[in-house]
Amino acid sequence: MSDAPHQKKNFGEESLAVQAMGVVDPQTHAVVPPIHISTTFIRDADNAYRSGFAYGRADNATVRELEAVLKMLEHGAASLAFGSGMSAALAVFLSLPRGARLLAPSVMYWALRRWLMNEATSHGLQVRFVNMEDLDAVRAAAQAGCDLIWVETPSNPLWGVVDLAAVAEVAHEAGARLAVDSTCATPVLTQPLLLGADIVMHSASKYINGHSDVVAGVLVTRTTDELWERIEKMRASHGMLLGPFEAFLVMRGLRTMHLRVRAACANALDLAHRFQSHPLVADVLYPGLATHPQHEIASRQMKGGFGGMLSVRVRGGEATAIATAAGVRLWKRATSLGGVESLLEHRASVEGAGSPCPDDLLRLSCGIELADDLYADLDAALRAGVAR
Ligand SMILES: *Cc1c(COP(=O)(O)O)cnc(C)c1O
């Protein structure tokens, strides 16, 4: 593979993402580079590996191309792609030394919260959950002893916003690192590393791929320090590397990410405004609303939109919320988020006991359909849900 010619020039992030860094195959001059599927590589006569590749569990050229785009988008020093968002996050946690002290958000992506609650201790980690929107609480907890602060913003499924620059300062004062699950902010809207974070994580299954057909995860680091080297080794030894076909699909998704994310943000903002005055909706949770408690932070931190995710709390409680979900036709009742198709979910049913999610809440992942159609469909389902 020739080097990426665009990399040396000052083209915008969006142009580089659209062209997957402008990588051109030197043999064919193909506009779209080939997928590298070989798991093994020929040694030279002197037994050395000239290409830098030896075996497919540790590394892959197609995955490296994807990592180059993500490193550029997040302004990091290096990037690693994983077989899922969960494995990317767990590679960070499991690479910390035994006894490491972690601060995690009280509201966060459920599967990760469950792992931190139920599994982390057996791996020698000490976890404390704090409200990351309360800076004084975070500072107090960090100063009591902390090695890593993990935050998610906007956070599932209540969409609170964490002030990344402020929490980075708190982390560094305490001698800790800051890692950010930026899945719902996307690399289009927020660049945590530029705000002081040390590691950014994405579930690429969501907006980065954007078509609900790949499970993938990524990490990008500000510096290639000792922790990063341990993460890299863990990925190789545990076989957490993303597959080449999946890497190709994620790169294809990335080519339209900026357009998709902007369209999803516009739909979410439009729906948030309309449902705010809907007679059957008790509350709309969305950082783009002026009434959102962290709207000012979100306006500063998120560039060009407030994300495609919002939640509505339905009047009439759990039964009405579930009946409303049952009535949609265009929205799909499904978990996950960040695809081109709009999804809706009664989140409390998924998260079960111990979840901070209210039982009258429907989580909406806005896709890129027409906002009028999305509104009309959910409006009809709300009216039918109440009538039941
Ligand atoms: C989906 C998701 C994850 C987990 O990623 P997978 O790719 O499903 O393993 C982590 N954090 C957030 C915010 C997510 O939405």
Side-chain angles (χ1 to χ4, degrees), residues 194-238:
L194 295 182
L195 298 169
D198 299 284
I199 293 179
V200 56
M201 171 251 157
H202 289 278
S203 166
S205 323
K206 314 295 165 58
Y207 291 97
I208 289 178
N209 180 61
H211 294 78
S212 309
D213 53 10
V214 177
V215 174
V218 297
L219 297 175
V220 187
T221 187
R222 196 154 56 88
T223 51
T224 49
D225 55 7
E226 190 200 338
L227 175 65
W228 187 255
E229 282 168 18
R230 280 203 300 273
I231 292 170
E232 201 166 3
K233 280 193 194 126
M234 170 163 297
R235 184 182 72 164
S237 55
H238 290 219

Side-chain angles (χ1 to χ4, degrees), residues 84-87 109 112 152 156 181 183-184 201 203-206 215-217 336-337 363:
S84 71
M86 283 300 281
S87 66
Y109 179 70
L112 266 179
E152 179 183 326
N156 254 290
D181 180 343
T183 300
C184 294
M201 171 251 157
S203 166
S205 323
K206 314 295 165 58
V215 174
S336 196
L337 56 101
R363 186 182 78 172

Side-chain angles (χ1 to χ4, degrees), residues 1-4 23-26 33-34 36 61 65:
M1 212 46 40
S2 69
D3 60 345
V23 174
V24 172
D25 176 26
H36 292 272
E65 284 168 24

